[in-house]
Amino acid sequence: QLDPRGCPVSAAAAAFDPFEDGYQQSPPDELRWARAQEPIFYAPKLGYWVVARYDDVKAVFRDHLTFSPSIALEKITPTGEAANAVLAQYGYAMNRTLVNEDEPAHMARRRLLMEPFTPAALAHHEPLLRQLTREYVDRFIDSGRADLVDQMLWEVPLTMALHFLGVPEEDMPKLRQYSIAHTVNTWGRPSAEQQVAVAHAVGNFWQLAGEILAKMRLNPDAPGWMPFGIRMQREHPEVVTDSYLHSMMMAGIVAAHETTANATANAVKLLLQNRPAWDELCADPRLIPNAVEECLRHNGSVAAWRRLVTQDTEVGGVKLAAGSKLLIVMASANHDEAHFPDADAVDLRRDNAVEHLTFGYGAHQCMGKNLARLELQVFLDEFTRRLPHMRLAEQRFSYLPNTSFRGPEHLWVEWDPAQNPERRDP
Ligand code: HEM
């Protein structure tokens, strides 16, 4: 096989398939060979150039003009006619939000919409977060066994996401199903039949986003980031457009929710699999903020992101023509020994853990990173205090096959309720 330059593709590059179990279970392990031998390679099964090393991934993020984010939310598997017809039937018109917007539109919009993400604004969300976290743990703490994903880690971040966005909570069960469909639609490889089912869910999600937005417009002084956007539209209609608001309503629910739900599940799983680290954290909760960064580095919830090359250029010595598509794998970059010595170890005191690329980097870096960090910190604080004796149950972890959004579908943990600290020391 040949790459787009006409050079032969190596056997390992030809075999790379991010929809298979190897990448799903561990993207950094799956790309270990690439970091060592071929840090930028063309993956024929994907039609993308894959970027695996820290410095190269960061360099791509840094230059968002040469490496445009416009394809970030494009369907990685183009849909067939039947699915396209379904999407058209729902009037599906997902377009630019922030994450996939080019300059100069992007920065103008990002600046206008930043205020609700400031630490002062985020502080208003902490009491609800604390209360929900406690209530959810109360529900299962005496049972000795729980699937943390189903019983807590999905719903609390979803409730927080809706609260942050200003979206009513009435449609929560539907939203879970819809956001999974959105992930498969954007980053997965569904079969032709699956595509049709996914298209119905995505179409419904699109329409629901439109309805929520229409209701919100009747009460634009309500709290939340989306009503804030509606108010900003009054003053700057050319920056905060109707298309932006509708697309963001849908993409924002997923961006704020699934990423964080997966991040918390990945963090708890990683720590429990590395018992000494977990025990260290339970003994010294001051380590929690850095532990959160170490978990995001080692086992983050956004494994890879995409960029489109806008002019002929070079990355890590490899020439790339305008039009090339890149899959930049942050999960691999975060395990690059050149940047993180002993990268596979979980080190809660690692002094550069915060330099992970899980939130991206540069002009588009995640706006919600501090909300996500807050959620992770509160969860770990509550778990280490109330369930320090929990352990992973025997299980095989499954993942929704896709390139980017990564977290176990279930996370079974067990403990002896008789040993609950609050029973022994009420
Ligand atoms: C952008 C990851 C949580 C809102 C991004 C990007 C990544 C990311 C990789 C693209 C960065 C780039 O292109 O350089 C994550 C992860 C999260 C998380 C791993 C949780 C652990 C959140 C939350 C919110 C949010 C909770 C909202 C409340 C956004 C927005 C952007 C973004 C609005 C677009 C920024 C721009 O393009 O200017 N996020 N995210 N994210 N994220 Fe997050």
Side-chain angles (χ1 to χ4, degrees), residues 61 98-99 106 110 255-256 259 263 301 307 358-361 364 366 368 372:
F61 271 129
L98 281 160
V99 84
H106 162 258
R110 182 171 164 119
T259 51
S301 53
R307 290 290 192 256
T358 303
F359 289 126
Y361 180 78
H364 286 269
C366 179

Side-chain angles (χ1 to χ4, degrees), residues 7 37 80 95 103 160 174 230 299 327 349 391 393 398:
C7 302
Q37 296 156 30
N95 205 327
E103 302 306 341
M160 291 310 298
K174 260 196 265 171
I230 292 172
N299 199 21
L327 184 77
R349 297 165 199 272
R391 56 189 181 270
S398 63

Side-chain angles (χ1 to χ4, degrees), residues 61 69 98-101 106 110 117 161 164-165 225 248 252 255-257 259-260 263 296 300-302 305 307 330 357-369 371-373 375-376:
F61 271 129
L98 281 160
V99 84
N100 58 353
E101 182 63 280
H106 162 258
R110 182 171 164 119
F117 289 98
F164 176 80
L165 296 170
W225 189 47
M248 193 71 210
H257 155 228
T259 51
T260 316
L296 286 166
S301 53
V302 179
W305 212 239
R307 290 290 192 256
M330 296 94 93
L357 297 174
T358 303
F359 289 126
Y361 180 78
H364 286 269
Q365 196 187 38
C366 179
M367 288 166 81
K369 62 185 179 180
L371 178 57
R373 285 176 167 137
E375 291 189 43
L376 280 154

